[in-house]
């Protein structure tokens, strides 16, 4: 039997390079060998963006367009919307009854974001409960492979722990999933922190060359390298991480930087070129994909039905195990 895969993205706007190199690349590869469910996480978008929900629905089509543009094949995978499969909320409720508060409060992503995101009030119950909803999403499909970025690892650990706790209480029903990371599981943003919409440090897929130039210009480099001849430290430099991501001239560039034979300005220029080359075909393809909104809607409608069929089966088992 083919292994089951589940992963999702919050419908909070256009995709960035972190989404692509951190997770989507693996999504595309896995669709040929596994039974894949890819979820538009609209309820998860509410965990941080609950005050203004006006864009969530509109973002859904944009996101599917991005997925199809990078090579997700709707004939091979199930693309669905989280809020259209009510079993997610049912399992979320049940899991929240057995989720110890301390497990959630100690979650590193939660602690980091509470500290770093200052423009939103994240004292809401739903934000603390983000991992419970993610666990429900995964466990509902009995998925065993979860392609995610590094930032989601603690949530997946939580998923395994809550599955174990559930199985101890009610019988062996849920499956403990494992992560699948890309080789660049943490793509840095312009400021060196993880690239994230929440940090406003993203390079979006399909960015115009002018915007690319401006953004790359502001990318952090080695602060100790001011002149070309200064010996640089490529490890930890945001610009250098893009050479690693693209694998192009990586060794050569590292040597040049360390020996002071290249300056940050030319290094940045080449990153702009690499990124434009990468984006160009995507921008053209995306224009076609997004023009057929009816097709995109159809993909989601069909996916919702398939996802619900699978989710219903697991929920029936769970209800029986809980004697409900
Ligand atoms: P955001 O943090 O921008 O709101 P999501 O939480 O929707 O993004 O993340 C969707 C997927 O993309 C997750 O698997 C996440 O781990 C991955 N991802 C997001 N940003 C990055 C990044 N900078 N590097 C690696 N993976 C990332």
């Amino acid at each position: 039997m083919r292994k089951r895969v589940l992963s999702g993205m919050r419908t909070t706007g256009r995709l960035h390079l972190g989404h692509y190199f951190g997770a989507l690349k693996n999504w595309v590869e896995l669709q040929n060998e596994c039974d894949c469910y890819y979820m538009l996480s609209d309820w998860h978008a509410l965990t941080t963006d609950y005050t203004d929900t006006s864009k969530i629905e509109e973002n859904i089509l944009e996101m599917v367009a991005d997925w199809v543009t990078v090579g997700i094949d709707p004939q091979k995978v199930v693309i669905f919307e989280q809020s259209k499969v009510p079993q997610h909320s049912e399992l979320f409720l049940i899991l929240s009854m057995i989720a110890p508060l301390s497990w959630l409060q100690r979650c590193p992503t939660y602690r980091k974001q509470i500290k770093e995101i200052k423009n939103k009030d994240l004292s809401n119950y739903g934000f603390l409960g983000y991992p419970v909803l993610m666990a429900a999403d995964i466990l509902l499909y009995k998925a065993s492979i979860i392609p995610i970025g590094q930032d989601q690892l603690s949530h997946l650990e939580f998923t395994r722990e809550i599955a174990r706790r559930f199985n101890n209480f009610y019988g062996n029903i849920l499956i403990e999933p494992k992560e699948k990371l890309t080789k660049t599981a943490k793509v840095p943003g312009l400021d060196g922190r993880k690239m994230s919409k929440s940090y406003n440090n993203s390079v979006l897929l399909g960015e115009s060359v002018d915007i690319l130039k401006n953004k790359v210009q502001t990318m952090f480099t080695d602060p100790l390298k001011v002149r070309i001849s200064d010996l640089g430290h490529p490890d930890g430099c945001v610009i250098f991480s893009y050479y690693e991501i693209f694998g192009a001239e990586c060794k050569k560039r590292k040597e040049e930087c360390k020996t002071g034979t290249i300056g940050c300005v030319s290094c940045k220029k080449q990153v702009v070129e690499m990124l434009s080359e990468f984006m160009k075909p995507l921008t053209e393809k995306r224009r076609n994909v997004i023009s057929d909104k009816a097709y995109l809607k159809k993909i989601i409608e069909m996916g919702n039905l398939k996802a619900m069929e699978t989710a219903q089966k697991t929920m029936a088992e769970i209800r029986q195990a809980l004697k409900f």
Side-chain angles (χ1 to χ4, degrees), residues 7-10 12 16 18-19 22-23 130 147-152 184-187 194-198:
S7 196
M9 291 193 176
R10 300 188 314 139
T12 48
H16 54 61
H19 292 123
Y130 180 116
I148 40 172
Q150 199 187 57
D151 58 315
Q152 295 288 347
T184 43
K186 184 181 172 188
V187 177
K194 184 200 90 155
M195 185 177 286
S196 168
K197 278 162 281 175
S198 309

PDB file of all heavy atoms in Angstrom, residues 7-10 12 16 18-19 22-23 130 147-152 184-187 194-198, ligand 1:
ATOM      1  N   SER A   7       0.177  17.469   4.324  1.00  0.00           N
ATOM      2  CA  SER A   7       0.828  18.713   4.715  1.00  0.00           C
ATOM      3  C   SER A   7      -0.100  19.867   4.350  1.00  0.00           C
ATOM      4  O   SER A   7      -1.024  19.690   3.552  1.00  0.00           O
ATOM      5  CB  SER A   7       2.177  18.860   4.027  1.00  0.00           C
ATOM      6  OG  SER A   7       2.939  19.863   4.678  1.00  0.00           O
ATOM      7  N   GLY A   8       0.145  21.016   4.954  1.00  0.00           N
ATOM      8  CA  GLY A   8      -0.731  22.160   4.674  1.00  0.00           C
ATOM      9  C   GLY A   8       0.025  23.469   4.713  1.00  0.00           C
ATOM     10  O   GLY A   8       1.167  23.524   5.158  1.00  0.00           O
ATOM     11  N   MET A   9      -0.632  24.503   4.221  1.00  0.00           N
ATOM     12  CA  MET A   9      -0.084  25.857   4.317  1.00  0.00           C
ATOM     13  C   MET A   9      -1.196  26.802   4.710  1.00  0.00           C
ATOM     14  O   MET A   9      -2.322  26.683   4.202  1.00  0.00           O
ATOM     15  CB  MET A   9       0.516  26.284   2.984  1.00  0.00           C
ATOM     16  CG  MET A   9       1.749  25.492   2.670  1.00  0.00           C
ATOM     17  SD  MET A   9       2.704  26.173   1.347  1.00  0.00           S
ATOM     18  CE  MET A   9       4.078  25.024   1.401  1.00  0.00           C
ATOM     19  N   ARG A  10      -0.857  27.734   5.583  1.00  0.00           N
ATOM     20  CA  ARG A  10      -1.869  28.692   6.024  1.00  0.00           C
ATOM     21  C   ARG A  10      -2.204  29.653   4.894  1.00  0.00           C
ATOM     22  O   ARG A  10      -1.302  30.153   4.223  1.00  0.00           O
ATOM     23  CB  ARG A  10      -1.341  29.468   7.237  1.00  0.00           C
ATOM     24  CG  ARG A  10      -1.022  28.520   8.394  1.00  0.00           C
ATOM     25  CD  ARG A  10      -0.679  29.247   9.654  1.00  0.00           C
ATOM     26  NE  ARG A  10       0.251  30.324   9.439  1.00  0.00           N
ATOM     27  CZ  ARG A  10       0.156  31.502  10.036  1.00  0.00           C
ATOM     28  NH1 ARG A  10      -0.822  31.735  10.878  1.00  0.00           N
ATOM     29  NH2 ARG A  10       1.041  32.443   9.825  1.00  0.00           N
ATOM     30  N   THR A  12      -2.571  32.644   4.224  1.00  0.00           N
ATOM     31  CA  THR A  12      -2.363  34.015   4.694  1.00  0.00           C
ATOM     32  C   THR A  12      -1.740  34.908   3.616  1.00  0.00           C
ATOM     33  O   THR A  12      -1.312  36.014   3.914  1.00  0.00           O
ATOM     34  CB  THR A  12      -1.466  34.021   5.953  1.00  0.00           C
ATOM     35  OG1 THR A  12      -0.334  33.197   5.689  1.00  0.00           O
ATOM     36  CG2 THR A  12      -2.181  33.522   7.167  1.00  0.00           C
ATOM     37  N   HIS A  16       6.189  32.226  -0.435  1.00  0.00           N
ATOM     38  CA  HIS A  16       7.542  32.773  -0.526  1.00  0.00           C
ATOM     39  C   HIS A  16       8.570  31.652  -0.721  1.00  0.00           C
ATOM     40  O   HIS A  16       8.220  30.462  -0.709  1.00  0.00           O
ATOM     41  CB  HIS A  16       7.853  33.656   0.689  1.00  0.00           C
ATOM     42  CG  HIS A  16       7.648  33.016   2.027  1.00  0.00           C
ATOM     43  ND1 HIS A  16       8.341  31.888   2.439  1.00  0.00           N
ATOM     44  CD2 HIS A  16       6.815  33.325   3.060  1.00  0.00           C
ATOM     45  CE1 HIS A  16       7.987  31.563   3.667  1.00  0.00           C
ATOM     46  NE2 HIS A  16       7.035  32.407   4.061  1.00  0.00           N
ATOM     47  N   GLY A  18      10.706  30.450   1.203  1.00  0.00           N
ATOM     48  CA  GLY A  18      10.782  29.527   2.336  1.00  0.00           C
ATOM     49  C   GLY A  18       9.796  28.379   2.172  1.00  0.00           C
ATOM     50  O   GLY A  18      10.121  27.210   2.421  1.00  0.00           O
ATOM     51  N   HIS A  19       8.585  28.708   1.731  1.00  0.00           N
ATOM     52  CA  HIS A  19       7.584  27.662   1.505  1.00  0.00           C
ATOM     53  C   HIS A  19       8.092  26.697   0.434  1.00  0.00           C
ATOM     54  O   HIS A  19       7.965  25.478   0.567  1.00  0.00           O
ATOM     55  CB  HIS A  19       6.264  28.260   1.009  1.00  0.00           C
ATOM     56  CG  HIS A  19       5.554  29.088   2.024  1.00  0.00           C
ATOM     57  ND1 HIS A  19       5.215  30.385   1.814  1.00  0.00           N
ATOM     58  CD2 HIS A  19       5.124  28.785   3.273  1.00  0.00           C
ATOM     59  CE1 HIS A  19       4.589  30.868   2.885  1.00  0.00           C
ATOM     60  NE2 HIS A  19       4.529  29.913   3.772  1.00  0.00           N
ATOM     61  N   GLY A  22      11.559  24.999   1.503  1.00  0.00           N
ATOM     62  CA  GLY A  22      11.439  24.310   2.779  1.00  0.00           C
ATOM     63  C   GLY A  22      10.451  23.152   2.757  1.00  0.00           C
ATOM     64  O   GLY A  22      10.608  22.195   3.507  1.00  0.00           O
ATOM     65  N   ALA A  23       9.425  23.222   1.901  1.00  0.00           N
ATOM     66  CA  ALA A  23       8.403  22.176   1.949  1.00  0.00           C
ATOM     67  C   ALA A  23       7.878  21.760   0.567  1.00  0.00           C
ATOM     68  O   ALA A  23       7.853  20.574   0.225  1.00  0.00           O
ATOM     69  CB  ALA A  23       7.243  22.650   2.833  1.00  0.00           C
ATOM     70  N   TYR A 130      -2.626  25.878  18.343  1.00  0.00           N
ATOM     71  CA  TYR A 130      -2.205  25.600  16.955  1.00  0.00           C
ATOM     72  C   TYR A 130      -1.732  24.140  16.781  1.00  0.00           C
ATOM     73  O   TYR A 130      -2.188  23.443  15.869  1.00  0.00           O
ATOM     74  CB  TYR A 130      -1.096  26.606  16.588  1.00  0.00           C
ATOM     75  CG  TYR A 130      -0.504  26.504  15.195  1.00  0.00           C
ATOM     76  CD1 TYR A 130      -0.651  27.544  14.276  1.00  0.00           C
ATOM     77  CD2 TYR A 130       0.250  25.401  14.796  1.00  0.00           C
ATOM     78  CE1 TYR A 130      -0.083  27.479  13.006  1.00  0.00           C
ATOM     79  CE2 TYR A 130       0.813  25.321  13.531  1.00  0.00           C
ATOM     80  CZ  TYR A 130       0.641  26.362  12.643  1.00  0.00           C
ATOM     81  OH  TYR A 130       1.203  26.285  11.399  1.00  0.00           O
ATOM     82  N   PRO A 147       5.756  16.277   4.997  1.00  0.00           N
ATOM     83  CA  PRO A 147       6.787  17.170   4.467  1.00  0.00           C
ATOM     84  C   PRO A 147       6.593  18.601   4.972  1.00  0.00           C
ATOM     85  O   PRO A 147       5.631  19.265   4.611  1.00  0.00           O
ATOM     86  CB  PRO A 147       6.572  17.098   2.938  1.00  0.00           C
ATOM     87  CG  PRO A 147       5.153  16.655   2.766  1.00  0.00           C
ATOM     88  CD  PRO A 147       4.705  15.965   4.007  1.00  0.00           C
ATOM     89  N   ILE A 148       7.514  19.038   5.842  1.00  0.00           N
ATOM     90  CA  ILE A 148       7.387  20.356   6.490  1.00  0.00           C
ATOM     91  C   ILE A 148       8.765  21.003   6.598  1.00  0.00           C
ATOM     92  O   ILE A 148       9.780  20.356   6.379  1.00  0.00           O
ATOM     93  CB  ILE A 148       6.840  20.213   7.940  1.00  0.00           C
ATOM     94  CG1 ILE A 148       7.472  18.986   8.613  1.00  0.00           C
ATOM     95  CG2 ILE A 148       5.337  20.162   7.971  1.00  0.00           C
ATOM     96  CD1 ILE A 148       7.178  18.857  10.072  1.00  0.00           C
ATOM     97  N   GLY A 149       8.768  22.277   6.985  1.00  0.00           N
ATOM     98  CA  GLY A 149      10.020  22.962   7.280  1.00  0.00           C
ATOM     99  C   GLY A 149      10.410  22.730   8.730  1.00  0.00           C
ATOM    100  O   GLY A 149       9.617  22.229   9.535  1.00  0.00           O
ATOM    101  N   GLN A 150      11.645  23.140   9.040  1.00  0.00           N
ATOM    102  CA  GLN A 150      12.199  22.883  10.376  1.00  0.00           C
ATOM    103  C   GLN A 150      11.351  23.478  11.511  1.00  0.00           C
ATOM    104  O   GLN A 150      11.236  22.896  12.581  1.00  0.00           O
ATOM    105  CB  GLN A 150      13.596  23.500  10.408  1.00  0.00           C
ATOM    106  CG  GLN A 150      14.479  22.968  11.483  1.00  0.00           C
ATOM    107  CD  GLN A 150      15.768  23.773  11.526  1.00  0.00           C
ATOM    108  OE1 GLN A 150      15.762  24.996  11.686  1.00  0.00           O
ATOM    109  NE2 GLN A 150      16.869  23.103  11.341  1.00  0.00           N
ATOM    110  N   ASP A 151      10.726  24.640  11.223  1.00  0.00           N
ATOM    111  CA  ASP A 151       9.943  25.320  12.260  1.00  0.00           C
ATOM    112  C   ASP A 151       8.766  24.493  12.757  1.00  0.00           C
ATOM    113  O   ASP A 151       8.227  24.743  13.830  1.00  0.00           O
ATOM    114  CB  ASP A 151       9.431  26.675  11.730  1.00  0.00           C
ATOM    115  CG  ASP A 151       8.573  26.505  10.482  1.00  0.00           C
ATOM    116  OD1 ASP A 151       8.974  25.747   9.587  1.00  0.00           O
ATOM    117  OD2 ASP A 151       7.495  27.117  10.408  1.00  0.00           O
ATOM    118  N   GLN A 152       8.368  23.498  11.979  1.00  0.00           N
ATOM    119  CA  GLN A 152       7.200  22.695  12.359  1.00  0.00           C
ATOM    120  C   GLN A 152       7.578  21.420  13.126  1.00  0.00           C
ATOM    121  O   GLN A 152       6.699  20.650  13.516  1.00  0.00           O
ATOM    122  CB  GLN A 152       6.411  22.286  11.106  1.00  0.00           C
ATOM    123  CG  GLN A 152       5.787  23.461  10.356  1.00  0.00           C
ATOM    124  CD  GLN A 152       4.605  24.067  11.085  1.00  0.00           C
ATOM    125  OE1 GLN A 152       4.085  23.480  12.034  1.00  0.00           O
ATOM    126  NE2 GLN A 152       4.194  25.242  10.679  1.00  0.00           N
ATOM    127  N   THR A 184      17.199  22.217   2.671  1.00  0.00           N
ATOM    128  CA  THR A 184      17.210  23.568   3.248  1.00  0.00           C
ATOM    129  C   THR A 184      15.922  23.752   4.034  1.00  0.00           C
ATOM    130  O   THR A 184      15.001  24.439   3.601  1.00  0.00           O
ATOM    131  CB  THR A 184      17.288  24.644   2.148  1.00  0.00           C
ATOM    132  OG1 THR A 184      16.394  24.257   1.083  1.00  0.00           O
ATOM    133  CG2 THR A 184      18.670  24.792   1.598  1.00  0.00           C
ATOM    134  N   ALA A 185      15.880  23.122   5.197  1.00  0.00           N
ATOM    135  CA  ALA A 185      14.637  23.084   5.974  1.00  0.00           C
ATOM    136  C   ALA A 185      14.363  24.386   6.715  1.00  0.00           C
ATOM    137  O   ALA A 185      13.305  24.555   7.307  1.00  0.00           O
ATOM    138  CB  ALA A 185      14.674  21.919   6.952  1.00  0.00           C
ATOM    139  N   LYS A 186      15.361  25.307   6.695  1.00  0.00           N
ATOM    140  CA  LYS A 186      15.093  26.629   7.276  1.00  0.00           C
ATOM    141  C   LYS A 186      15.660  27.684   6.332  1.00  0.00           C
ATOM    142  O   LYS A 186      16.862  27.961   6.326  1.00  0.00           O
ATOM    143  CB  LYS A 186      15.732  26.744   8.659  1.00  0.00           C
ATOM    144  CG  LYS A 186      15.394  28.040   9.337  1.00  0.00           C
ATOM    145  CD  LYS A 186      16.049  28.152  10.691  1.00  0.00           C
ATOM    146  CE  LYS A 186      15.851  29.549  11.253  1.00  0.00           C
ATOM    147  NZ  LYS A 186      16.621  29.745  12.468  1.00  0.00           N
ATOM    148  N   VAL A 187      14.805  28.237   5.509  1.00  0.00           N
ATOM    149  CA  VAL A 187      15.238  29.241   4.534  1.00  0.00           C
ATOM    150  C   VAL A 187      15.230  30.607   5.222  1.00  0.00           C
ATOM    151  O   VAL A 187      14.201  31.012   5.774  1.00  0.00           O
ATOM    152  CB  VAL A 187      14.290  29.251   3.310  1.00  0.00           C
ATOM    153  CG1 VAL A 187      14.689  30.335   2.328  1.00  0.00           C
ATOM    154  CG2 VAL A 187      14.279  27.883   2.645  1.00  0.00           C
ATOM    155  N   LYS A 194      14.091  33.209  10.204  1.00  0.00           N
ATOM    156  CA  LYS A 194      13.356  32.341   9.281  1.00  0.00           C
ATOM    157  C   LYS A 194      12.477  33.198   8.369  1.00  0.00           C
ATOM    158  O   LYS A 194      11.833  34.141   8.853  1.00  0.00           O
ATOM    159  CB  LYS A 194      12.467  31.395  10.107  1.00  0.00           C
ATOM    160  CG  LYS A 194      11.721  30.391   9.276  1.00  0.00           C
ATOM    161  CD  LYS A 194      10.521  29.804  10.012  1.00  0.00           C
ATOM    162  CE  LYS A 194       9.274  30.609   9.785  1.00  0.00           C
ATOM    163  NZ  LYS A 194       7.996  29.921   9.940  1.00  0.00           N
ATOM    164  N   MET A 195      12.470  32.896   7.069  1.00  0.00           N
ATOM    165  CA  MET A 195      11.599  33.665   6.176  1.00  0.00           C
ATOM    166  C   MET A 195      10.144  33.365   6.545  1.00  0.00           C
ATOM    167  O   MET A 195       9.735  32.207   6.617  1.00  0.00           O
ATOM    168  CB  MET A 195      11.857  33.299   4.710  1.00  0.00           C
ATOM    169  CG  MET A 195      11.054  34.152   3.751  1.00  0.00           C
ATOM    170  SD  MET A 195      11.390  33.830   2.014  1.00  0.00           S
ATOM    171  CE  MET A 195      12.989  34.577   1.800  1.00  0.00           C
ATOM    172  N   SER A 196       9.376  34.411   6.823  1.00  0.00           N
ATOM    173  CA  SER A 196       7.985  34.219   7.220  1.00  0.00           C
ATOM    174  C   SER A 196       7.184  35.478   6.933  1.00  0.00           C
ATOM    175  O   SER A 196       7.691  36.588   7.098  1.00  0.00           O
ATOM    176  CB  SER A 196       7.921  33.904   8.719  1.00  0.00           C
ATOM    177  OG  SER A 196       6.591  33.977   9.165  1.00  0.00           O
ATOM    178  N   LYS A 197       5.929  35.259   6.541  1.00  0.00           N
ATOM    179  CA  LYS A 197       5.060  36.407   6.305  1.00  0.00           C
ATOM    180  C   LYS A 197       4.895  37.213   7.603  1.00  0.00           C
ATOM    181  O   LYS A 197       4.801  38.423   7.575  1.00  0.00           O
ATOM    182  CB  LYS A 197       3.691  35.942   5.813  1.00  0.00           C
ATOM    183  CG  LYS A 197       3.670  35.657   4.324  1.00  0.00           C
ATOM    184  CD  LYS A 197       2.476  34.809   3.932  1.00  0.00           C
ATOM    185  CE  LYS A 197       2.686  33.364   4.255  1.00  0.00           C
ATOM    186  NZ  LYS A 197       1.558  32.468   4.029  1.00  0.00           N
ATOM    187  N   SER A 198       4.900  36.486   8.709  1.00  0.00           N
ATOM    188  CA  SER A 198       4.710  37.158  10.000  1.00  0.00           C
ATOM    189  C   SER A 198       5.866  38.093  10.328  1.00  0.00           C
ATOM    190  O   SER A 198       5.715  39.010  11.126  1.00  0.00           O
ATOM    191  CB  SER A 198       4.596  36.124  11.120  1.00  0.00           C
ATOM    192  OG  SER A 198       3.656  35.156  10.800  1.00  0.00           O
TER     193      SER A 198
HETATM  194  P1  LIG B   1       4.373  31.179   7.426  1.00  0.00           P
HETATM  195  O1  LIG B   1       5.372  30.913   8.533  1.00  0.00           O
HETATM  196  O2  LIG B   1       4.973  32.029   6.335  1.00  0.00           O
HETATM  197  O3  LIG B   1       3.047  31.651   7.909  1.00  0.00           O
HETATM  198  P2  LIG B   1       3.223  28.462   7.105  1.00  0.00           P
HETATM  199  O4  LIG B   1       3.162  28.391   8.583  1.00  0.00           O
HETATM  200  O5  LIG B   1       1.968  28.463   6.345  1.00  0.00           O
HETATM  201  O6  LIG B   1       4.126  29.755   6.704  1.00  0.00           O
HETATM  202  O7  LIG B   1       4.169  27.287   6.543  1.00  0.00           O
HETATM  203  C1  LIG B   1       3.834  26.359   5.523  1.00  0.00           C
HETATM  204  C2  LIG B   1       4.955  25.342   5.334  1.00  0.00           C
HETATM  205  O8  LIG B   1       6.122  25.978   4.820  1.00  0.00           O
HETATM  206  C3  LIG B   1       5.394  24.648   6.622  1.00  0.00           C
HETATM  207  O9  LIG B   1       5.746  23.307   6.342  1.00  0.00           O
HETATM  208  C4  LIG B   1       6.611  25.420   7.039  1.00  0.00           C
HETATM  209  O10 LIG B   1       7.493  24.665   7.832  1.00  0.00           O
HETATM  210  C5  LIG B   1       7.228  25.737   5.676  1.00  0.00           C
HETATM  211  N1  LIG B   1       8.016  26.966   5.775  1.00  0.00           N
HETATM  212  C6  LIG B   1       7.524  28.224   5.932  1.00  0.00           C
HETATM  213  N2  LIG B   1       8.542  29.112   6.000  1.00  0.00           N
HETATM  214  C7  LIG B   1       9.685  28.397   5.882  1.00  0.00           C
HETATM  215  C8  LIG B   1      11.077  28.747   5.863  1.00  0.00           C
HETATM  216  N3  LIG B   1      11.473  30.003   5.969  1.00  0.00           N
HETATM  217  N4  LIG B   1      11.987  27.761   5.706  1.00  0.00           N
HETATM  218  C9  LIG B   1      11.598  26.468   5.586  1.00  0.00           C
HETATM  219  N5  LIG B   1      10.308  26.078   5.580  1.00  0.00           N
HETATM  220  C10 LIG B   1       9.366  27.018   5.730  1.00  0.00           C
END
